[in-house]
Amino acid sequence: MTSGFVALAIMVLGAVAPSAVGAVTYATEVDWNGKADAGWDGNGVASQSRKDTDNALGAPDQVGVNSVSFLSLGRGNTAVFGFGTLFRGVATVFEVTYTCLVGGSGFCTNYPEEVQVYAGTSYAADSFDLSGFDYIGAVRNGSAQGGASFALGGIYSYLAFVDASPAGANRDGFDIDSVWVEAVPVPGAAVLMASALAGLALTVAVRRRA
């Protein structure tokens, strides 16, 4: 009887529906397989700053004309982001392309760049193995200058971005300034757990008296 009640309590907690909109949570970690000498600054000079993975973490920066506060993936490279929480619903990525001329295709026509987006529930650091990830869709840099959002079909732990930019002179691939997701909230879970434990204690007490 007691073990059955505990199982029921666990089932109740597992059935708690998250709210319609979770808290916005920015990426806290990133695993990137690019090279530190692959980037370019606004004058076409090799830039180490664009290869600092910390640039893609946290909230979007106020990017100026000569800012390098973003991570350039490099053509064909992959970056996997973690958020320290489960997430679902909608995710958003912010891209930076100087003097972007947005075309009808969603590209910056002067510097067209694109990423393929994947989402997964588990990931081994430094493996870049996306075999267990779901394909979400493609994002082009013209549509992501102020943030491009995309819907997720499940609950995940990681987002992966694989550069699929066209070839061209001085191209360093999709430039990520920030990524955010909607964390999965579990409202009232603590209250439910407390109630379940209190009910368990009451059941045990009643059975002892009987």
Side-chain angles (χ1 to χ4, degrees):
M1 176 66 181
T2 301
S3 61
F5 185 87
V6 172
L8 177 61
I10 294 173
M11 288 174 63
V12 169
L13 286 173
V16 175
S19 65
V21 179
V24 169
T25 301
Y26 294 101
T28 57
E29 57 184 354
V30 58
D31 198 10
W32 174 65
N33 68 347
K35 298 180 179 179
D37 60 356
W40 298 84
D41 65 15
N43 297 316
V45 179
S47 170
Q48 299 296 312
S49 297
R50 291 190 180 198
K51 300 305 157 185
D52 184 349
T53 54
D54 287 345
N55 287 341
L57 303 181
D61 300 297
Q62 296 297 319
V63 179
V65 174
N66 294 314
S67 173
V68 289
S69 188
F70 50 80
L71 172 66
S72 294
L73 293 186
R75 289 190 57 250
N77 290 333
T78 299
V80 181
F81 288 82
F83 303 84
T85 184
L86 296 174
F87 56 87
R88 67 177 187 130
V90 174
T92 301
V93 59
F94 295 81
E95 205 275 350
V96 176
T97 296
Y98 298 146
T99 63
C100 173
L101 303 175
V102 182
S105 62
F107 281 121
C108 294
T109 56
N110 49 335
Y111 292 102
E113 297 168 346
E114 179 179 271
V115 283
Q116 304 291 320
V117 185
Y118 298 82
T121 56
S122 62
Y123 172 74
D126 298 323
S127 69
F128 302 100
D129 179 6
L130 306 183
S131 58
F133 279 52
D134 296 331
Y135 176 69
I136 304 300
V139 176
R140 293 178 172 177
N141 59 338
S143 62
Q145 294 305 291
S149 297
F150 42 90
L152 303 170
I155 296 177
Y156 299 103
S157 301
Y158 300 94
L159 281 180
F161 297 89
V162 180
D163 183 77
S165 301
N170 293 349
R171 303 291 173 83
D172 58 4
F174 201 84
D175 305 308
I176 298 180
D177 180 26
S178 179
V179 184
W180 66 254
V181 296
E182 293 181 359
V184 174
V186 188
V191 174
L192 282 174
M193 177 64 81
S195 298
L197 293 176
L200 174 60
L202 178 61
T203 299
V204 172
V206 170
R207 287 177 62 83
R208 285 178 178 173
R209 289 175 183 172

